[in-house]
Amino acid sequence: MIAEILRKGLKFSIFTGRNFHSARKYVKEINVDFPMVFQNGALIMKPFSGKILRISPLREEVARKIINVARERNIFFILFTSFFEVRDMVIERKYKGVFEDYLAANSWRLIFSDDVLKYMRDSVAEVALIGKEEGILEVVKDVERDHLGEFTGVKNTVRDDEVFYEFFGPDSTKAKALEFLLGHFGTTLDRVAFIGDSYNDLSLMEIVGVPIAMGNSPEDVKNKAKFVTLSNDEAGVAYAIDKILKGEWVR
Protein backbone atom coordinates (compact mmCIF):
# COMPACT_ATOMS: atom_id res chain seq x y z
CA MET A 1 0.00 0.00 0.00
CA ILE A 2 2.92 2.35 0.64
CA ALA A 3 4.25 1.53 -2.83
CA GLU A 4 0.81 2.38 -4.23
CA ILE A 5 0.88 5.78 -2.50
CA LEU A 6 4.26 6.56 -4.06
CA ARG A 7 3.17 5.36 -7.52
CA LYS A 8 0.32 7.88 -7.37
CA GLY A 9 2.81 10.68 -6.67
CA LEU A 10 1.67 11.29 -3.11
CA LYS A 11 4.09 12.08 -0.27
CA PHE A 12 4.64 9.67 2.58
CA SER A 13 6.56 9.55 5.84
CA ILE A 14 6.83 7.47 8.99
CA PHE A 15 6.81 9.13 12.41
CA THR A 16 8.07 6.91 15.20
CA GLY A 17 9.19 7.13 18.81
CA ARG A 18 11.79 4.45 17.99
CA ASN A 19 15.40 5.38 17.39
CA PHE A 20 17.08 4.84 14.02
CA HIS A 21 18.50 1.38 14.77
CA SER A 22 15.31 0.13 16.39
CA ALA A 23 13.28 1.11 13.30
CA ARG A 24 15.91 0.08 10.77
CA LYS A 25 14.56 -3.36 9.82
CA TYR A 26 11.16 -1.86 8.97
CA VAL A 27 12.79 0.95 6.99
CA LYS A 28 14.72 -1.63 4.95
CA GLU A 29 11.49 -3.43 4.03
CA ILE A 30 10.00 -0.21 2.63
CA ASN A 31 13.27 0.51 0.78
CA VAL A 32 12.52 4.13 -0.16
CA ASP A 33 14.74 7.05 0.89
CA PHE A 34 12.03 9.48 2.00
CA PRO A 35 12.33 11.70 5.10
CA MET A 36 11.50 9.78 8.29
CA VAL A 37 10.92 11.06 11.81
CA PHE A 38 12.60 9.20 14.68
CA GLN A 39 12.49 9.53 18.47
CA ASN A 40 9.28 11.51 18.49
CA GLY A 41 10.59 14.27 16.22
CA ALA A 42 14.05 14.79 17.70
CA LEU A 43 15.58 13.43 14.48
CA ILE A 44 14.42 13.76 10.88
CA MET A 45 16.57 12.07 8.27
CA LYS A 46 16.64 10.13 5.01
CA PRO A 47 17.59 6.66 6.29
CA PHE A 48 19.37 5.30 3.22
CA SER A 49 21.44 8.33 2.24
CA GLY A 50 21.94 9.25 5.91
CA LYS A 51 21.08 12.89 5.21
CA ILE A 52 20.00 14.62 8.43
CA LEU A 53 17.28 17.21 7.86
CA ARG A 54 16.67 18.21 11.48
CA ILE A 55 18.10 17.15 14.85
CA SER A 56 17.34 18.35 18.39
CA PRO A 57 19.52 16.77 21.10
CA LEU A 58 19.07 17.15 24.86
CA ARG A 59 21.79 19.28 26.47
CA GLU A 60 24.04 17.65 29.06
CA GLU A 61 23.03 20.04 31.85
CA VAL A 62 19.33 19.29 31.34
CA ALA A 63 19.87 15.52 31.10
CA ARG A 64 21.92 15.55 34.34
CA LYS A 65 19.17 17.46 36.14
CA ILE A 66 16.50 14.94 35.02
CA ILE A 67 18.60 11.98 36.14
CA ASN A 68 19.56 13.49 39.49
CA VAL A 69 15.96 14.41 40.36
CA ALA A 70 14.76 10.95 39.28
CA ARG A 71 17.41 9.37 41.54
CA GLU A 72 16.24 11.46 44.48
CA ARG A 73 12.66 10.29 43.92
CA ASN A 74 13.66 6.66 43.24
CA ILE A 75 12.17 6.70 39.74
CA PHE A 76 13.59 4.31 37.16
CA PHE A 77 15.48 6.11 34.37
CA ILE A 78 17.21 5.32 31.09
CA LEU A 79 19.88 7.45 29.45
CA PHE A 80 19.85 7.28 25.64
CA THR A 81 23.37 8.39 24.78
CA SER A 82 23.16 8.79 21.01
CA PHE A 83 20.86 8.91 18.02
CA PHE A 84 23.04 6.52 16.04
CA GLU A 85 24.99 4.16 18.34
CA VAL A 86 23.66 0.60 18.45
CA ARG A 87 24.10 0.22 22.23
CA ASP A 88 22.61 3.50 23.36
CA MET A 89 20.51 2.71 26.48
CA VAL A 90 22.29 3.00 29.85
CA ILE A 91 20.65 1.91 33.13
CA GLU A 92 21.86 1.52 36.71
CA ARG A 93 19.53 -1.22 37.97
CA LYS A 94 17.10 -3.83 36.73
CA TYR A 95 13.53 -2.75 36.20
CA LYS A 96 10.56 -4.70 37.56
CA GLY A 97 7.09 -3.77 36.36
CA VAL A 98 4.69 -3.57 33.44
CA PHE A 99 7.35 -2.36 30.99
CA GLU A 100 9.66 -5.36 31.49
CA ASP A 101 8.86 -6.53 27.95
CA TYR A 102 10.18 -3.23 26.55
CA LEU A 103 13.52 -3.67 28.32
CA ALA A 104 13.69 -7.32 27.26
CA ALA A 105 12.97 -6.48 23.61
CA ASN A 106 15.72 -3.84 23.70
CA SER A 107 18.27 -5.92 25.62
CA TRP A 108 20.65 -5.69 22.64
CA ARG A 109 20.83 -1.93 23.26
CA LEU A 110 21.36 -2.02 27.03
CA ILE A 111 24.47 -1.07 29.00
CA PHE A 112 24.49 -1.64 32.79
CA SER A 113 26.55 0.86 34.81
CA ASP A 114 26.97 1.83 38.45
CA ASP A 115 26.62 5.45 37.31
CA VAL A 116 24.94 6.39 34.02
CA LEU A 117 26.52 9.85 34.22
CA LYS A 118 29.82 8.24 33.20
CA TYR A 119 28.23 7.93 29.74
CA MET A 120 27.06 11.54 29.58
CA ARG A 121 28.13 13.65 26.58
CA ASP A 122 27.80 17.35 25.72
CA SER A 123 24.36 16.35 24.46
CA VAL A 124 22.36 13.10 24.37
CA ALA A 125 19.38 11.77 22.44
CA GLU A 126 16.96 11.52 25.37
CA VAL A 127 16.25 10.47 28.95
CA ALA A 128 13.24 8.26 29.75
CA LEU A 129 11.51 7.69 33.09
CA ILE A 130 9.22 4.80 34.04
CA GLY A 131 6.96 5.02 37.08
CA LYS A 132 3.79 6.47 38.51
CA GLU A 133 2.65 9.52 36.59
CA GLU A 134 2.30 11.82 39.58
CA GLY A 135 5.93 11.22 40.59
CA ILE A 136 7.21 11.77 37.08
CA LEU A 137 5.25 15.00 36.71
CA GLU A 138 6.94 16.24 39.87
CA VAL A 139 10.29 15.59 38.17
CA VAL A 140 9.07 17.60 35.18
CA LYS A 141 8.18 20.52 37.45
CA ASP A 142 11.58 20.41 39.17
CA VAL A 143 13.44 20.42 35.85
CA GLU A 144 11.25 23.20 34.43
CA ARG A 145 12.30 25.52 37.26
CA ASP A 146 15.82 25.70 35.85
CA HIS A 147 15.35 24.63 32.22
CA LEU A 148 11.95 25.77 30.99
CA GLY A 149 11.89 25.65 27.18
CA GLU A 150 15.09 23.60 26.98
CA PHE A 151 13.43 20.19 26.66
CA THR A 152 10.29 18.47 25.41
CA GLY A 153 8.45 16.11 27.75
CA VAL A 154 6.29 13.41 26.18
CA LYS A 155 3.99 10.89 27.86
CA ASN A 156 4.46 7.99 25.48
CA THR A 157 2.68 4.92 26.88
CA VAL A 158 0.43 4.19 29.86
CA ARG A 159 0.13 0.68 31.34
CA ASP A 160 -1.86 0.02 34.47
CA ASP A 161 -0.57 2.59 36.99
CA GLU A 162 2.77 3.34 35.28
CA VAL A 163 3.79 5.61 32.40
CA PHE A 164 6.75 5.65 30.05
CA TYR A 165 7.75 9.33 29.89
CA GLU A 166 10.46 10.73 27.61
CA PHE A 167 12.56 13.91 27.68
CA PHE A 168 13.92 15.12 24.33
CA GLY A 169 15.56 18.30 23.08
CA PRO A 170 13.50 21.46 22.39
CA ASP A 171 10.62 21.26 19.91
CA SER A 172 10.89 17.47 19.66
CA THR A 173 7.25 16.68 19.00
CA LYS A 174 5.63 14.92 16.10
CA ALA A 175 3.65 18.12 15.48
CA LYS A 176 6.86 20.16 15.09
CA ALA A 177 8.30 17.46 12.83
CA LEU A 178 5.19 17.63 10.67
CA GLU A 179 5.47 21.41 10.50
CA PHE A 180 9.00 20.96 9.15
CA LEU A 181 7.91 18.36 6.58
CA LEU A 182 5.00 20.48 5.37
CA GLY A 183 7.57 22.99 4.21
CA HIS A 184 9.82 20.26 2.84
CA PHE A 185 7.01 18.69 0.81
CA GLY A 186 5.24 21.95 0.00
CA THR A 187 1.80 21.02 1.32
CA THR A 188 -0.67 22.08 4.01
CA LEU A 189 -2.21 20.51 7.13
CA ASP A 190 -5.66 20.09 5.63
CA ARG A 191 -4.15 17.79 2.99
CA VAL A 192 -2.50 15.48 5.52
CA ALA A 193 -3.80 12.12 6.77
CA PHE A 194 -2.07 10.73 9.85
CA ILE A 195 -2.43 7.26 11.38
CA GLY A 196 -1.56 7.04 15.09
CA ASP A 197 -1.98 4.63 17.99
CA SER A 198 -0.68 6.22 21.20
CA TYR A 199 -0.51 9.31 23.36
CA ASN A 200 2.54 10.75 21.63
CA ASP A 201 0.42 10.92 18.45
CA LEU A 202 -2.22 13.23 19.92
CA SER A 203 -0.38 16.47 19.07
CA LEU A 204 -0.62 15.50 15.39
CA MET A 205 -4.11 14.08 15.40
CA GLU A 206 -5.44 17.37 16.74
CA ILE A 207 -4.17 19.40 13.77
CA VAL A 208 -4.21 17.29 10.58
CA GLY A 209 -7.07 17.18 8.12
CA VAL A 210 -7.67 13.43 8.42
CA PRO A 211 -6.69 11.99 11.85
CA ILE A 212 -6.96 8.18 11.94
CA ALA A 213 -6.57 5.92 14.99
CA MET A 214 -5.48 2.31 14.94
CA GLY A 215 -8.07 -0.16 16.24
CA ASN A 216 -5.74 -1.11 19.12
CA SER A 217 -5.34 2.52 20.29
CA PRO A 218 -6.39 3.70 23.77
CA GLU A 219 -9.85 5.29 23.87
CA ASP A 220 -8.31 8.75 24.44
CA VAL A 221 -6.57 8.43 21.06
CA LYS A 222 -9.64 7.04 19.26
CA ASN A 223 -11.67 9.99 20.55
CA LYS A 224 -9.35 12.41 18.69
CA ALA A 225 -9.72 10.55 15.39
CA LYS A 226 -12.06 11.18 12.49
CA PHE A 227 -11.79 7.51 11.55
CA VAL A 228 -10.74 4.32 13.38
CA THR A 229 -9.07 1.64 11.28
CA LEU A 230 -8.41 -2.02 12.04
CA SER A 231 -5.84 -3.09 14.65
CA ASN A 232 -2.11 -3.59 14.11
CA ASP A 233 -2.75 -7.36 13.94
CA GLU A 234 -5.29 -6.85 11.14
CA ALA A 235 -3.18 -4.71 8.74
CA GLY A 236 -4.90 -1.56 9.96
CA VAL A 237 -2.44 0.79 8.23
CA ALA A 238 -2.95 -0.91 4.85
CA TYR A 239 -6.73 -0.82 5.35
CA ALA A 240 -6.64 2.92 6.11
CA ILE A 241 -4.41 3.71 3.13
CA ASP A 242 -6.75 1.77 0.85
CA LYS A 243 -9.71 3.80 2.14
CA ILE A 244 -7.83 7.06 1.60
CA LEU A 245 -6.78 6.18 -1.97
CA LYS A 246 -10.38 5.28 -2.80
CA GLY A 247 -11.51 8.64 -1.41
CA GLU A 248 -13.70 7.01 1.22
CA TRP A 249 -11.88 8.52 4.21
CA VAL A 250 -11.09 11.99 2.90
CA ARG A 251 -13.67 14.60 3.77
Side-chain angles (χ1 to χ4, degrees):
M1 295 311 300
I2 292 169
E4 184 64 17
I5 285 177
L6 298 173
R7 275 196 295 271
K8 290 182 178 294
L10 302 177
K11 305 300 182 183
F12 179 83
S13 183
I14 290 177
F15 286 54
T16 179
R18 292 172 178 260
N19 83 336
F20 173 70
H21 287 290
S22 182
R24 198 171 196 172
K25 65 179 181 179
Y26 306 105
V27 174
K28 284 184 176 179
E29 288 183 22
I30 298 170
N31 198 31
V32 179
D33 199 33
F34 51 76
M36 286 185 59
V37 177
F38 300 96
Q39 287 184 258
N40 207 61
L43 173 66
I44 306 175
M45 67 177 292
K46 292 186 174 182
F48 289 94
S49 65
K51 182 178 180 181
I52 297 174
L53 303 178
R54 182 176 182 269
I55 190 167
S56 180
L58 187 65
R59 285 199 312 111
E60 174 188 6
E61 184 180 356
V62 184
R64 282 181 180 274
K65 177 74 173 183
I66 297 164
I67 289 169
N68 286 330
V69 176
R71 275 178 176 160
E72 292 169 6
R73 296 179 177 274
N74 197 33
I75 295 173
F76 185 84
F77 54 85
I78 308 168
L79 172 66
F80 292 77
T81 58
S82 167
F83 289 101
F84 300 109
E85 289 179 359
V86 175
R87 296 186 68 199
D88 65 325
M89 297 171 60
V90 189
I91 59 177
E92 292 181 350
R93 58 186 169 93
K94 287 188 176 181
Y95 165 82
K96 294 291 184 182
V98 293
F99 288 97
E100 285 180 38
D101 59 338
Y102 170 79
L103 274 297
N106 287 278
S107 59
W108 54 278
R109 299 169 61 186
L110 286 178
I111 299 171
F112 285 87
S113 174
D114 61 341
D115 181 5
V116 302
L117 296 179
K118 292 178 180 177
Y119 289 82
M120 187 64 70
R121 285 91 179 272
D122 291 341
S123 63
V124 297
E126 67 168 286
V127 175
L129 305 184
I130 303 176
K132 296 189 184 305
E133 185 168 9
E134 58 268 28
I136 290 175
L137 292 179
E138 287 300 317
V139 175
V140 175
K141 288 180 183 177
D142 282 356
V143 178
E144 282 181 338
R145 290 189 188 101
D146 297 324
H147 302 288
L148 185 64
E150 297 183 60
F151 69 93
T152 303
V154 180
K155 181 171 74 171
N156 191 325
T157 308
V158 180
R159 294 184 185 176
D160 296 337
D161 63 342
E162 290 197 338
V163 301
F164 191 101
Y165 196 98
E166 297 175 280
F167 294 81
F168 299 98
D171 293 331
S172 296
T173 64
K174 291 184 177 181
K176 283 291 184 181
L178 177 58
E179 182 182 310
F180 176 88
L181 288 184
L182 289 177
H184 182 83
F185 287 139
T187 189
T188 52
L189 278 172
D190 59 304
R191 298 178 60 81
V192 174
F194 177 80
I195 307 168
D197 71 349
S198 195
Y199 293 94
N200 62 343
D201 295 316
L202 290 175
S203 65
L204 272 187
M205 296 179 75
E206 291 170 349
I207 60 175
V208 298
V210 186
I212 301 166
M214 295 293 292
N216 53 291
S217 304
E219 288 303 314
D220 290 345
V221 176
K222 290 179 181 177
N223 291 338
K224 292 292 184 181
K226 189 176 287 186
F227 305 104
V228 178
T229 185
L230 303 177
S231 75
N232 58 322
D233 290 324
E234 301 170 294
V237 171
Y239 180 81
I241 292 173
D242 184 54
K243 290 286 189 181
I244 291 167
L245 293 179
K246 289 176 179 176
E248 297 175 14
W249 277 7
V250 180
R251 65 172 183 261

